[in-house]
Amino acid sequence: MPKKTFAASHQAQCDTAKEGDDAALSYKISYHNKTDAADAPASEARLFRFFCQMGAYNETHVYYLWNEADGLNEQHFATPELDIHYEGDNPDGKLESVSVIGYRSENALVNSSFDDKTMTLLSHAKWRGVGDASSDGTWIFRDGAFSLIKYDVDASYDGEINPETVLDYNTGP
């Protein structure tokens, strides 16, 4: 059922006919909500990752989460909206500032993976092929949903990999 839902929802934007081991991945997630009693059995969910599309150096994935209470739901991910300024408004010039001016909801992650040990989704979007400009996000699964906890940005097109953290809740409660 998740593959049919994905294909029906994303046939215009994604390669929904892709086959192979990396076309769709599934992960079992066992977890406790913070409101659960200490002796409560673990809740279970299933995370589905679907390949969407590939460019020269990035590929995108769409995620669905299934649990008994809510059924199957497409996942959307909070992502910082950035205000980036370069000297002379030239991206090849000196980076002057990077500011978070809000948040957006994205339905696909770039170059993403799920780490079942830390229960985190990771994303690494290259802004150009050499990888010297990019963004990295980390979303943790807690209380039955994904929450953005860290976001790094390397907005300088300077040939070096030197990201700066623009959001960090990784040391939260």
Side-chain angles (χ1 to χ4, degrees):
M1 170 147 105
K3 184 159 179 67
K4 286 182 182 179
T5 302
F6 164 70
S9 299
H10 293 280
Q11 61 188 354
Q13 96 184 58
C14 297
D15 178 4
T16 58
K18 180 174 174 152
E19 296 293 329
D21 292 342
D22 62 343
L25 298 173
S26 174
Y27 305 92
K28 181 180 174 183
I29 303 174
S30 295
Y31 65 98
H32 287 90
N33 291 311
K34 65 183 172 189
T35 57
D36 288 348
D39 60 348
S43 295
E44 291 194 2
R46 176 131 333 249
L47 179 66
F48 298 92
R49 182 186 93 159
F50 292 98
F51 170 85
C52 182
Q53 56 185 238
M54 180 181 287
Y57 41 86
N58 287 318
E59 65 179 50
T60 60
H61 304 104
V62 173
Y63 287 84
Y64 284 82
L65 185 71
W66 178 91
N67 65 41
E68 194 170 319
D70 301 320
L72 185 67
N73 289 291
E74 183 176 342
Q75 299 299 284
H76 292 259
F77 301 94
T79 306
E81 180 180 0
L82 303 173
D83 185 27
I84 302 171
H85 293 276
Y86 300 95
E87 187 174 83
D89 288 328
N90 178 0
D92 290 324
K94 182 181 177 195
L95 176 66
E96 292 180 334
S97 66
V98 177
S99 301
V100 175
I101 58 172
Y103 292 88
R104 296 183 176 179
S105 177
E106 302 290 338
N107 73 337
L109 296 179
V110 181
N111 299 326
S112 65
S113 61
F114 179 68
D115 182 334
D116 58 355
K117 290 180 182 64
T118 61
M119 294 184 33
T120 55
L121 274 169
L122 306 170
S123 176
H124 175 70
K126 291 182 179 182
W127 296 4
R128 70 177 181 178
V130 295
D132 63 336
S134 63
S135 54
D136 296 280
T138 304
W139 295 262
I140 192 166
F141 188 80
R142 62 178 167 217
D143 287 327
F146 285 98
S147 180
L148 178 66
I149 59 168
K150 190 166 191 226
Y151 205 81
D152 297 334
V153 174
D154 183 349
S156 59
Y157 294 86
D158 59 3
E160 297 180 24
I161 298 173
N162 48 3
E164 64 181 76
T165 300
V166 296
L167 177 138
D168 187 358
Y169 296 118
N170 201 26
T171 56

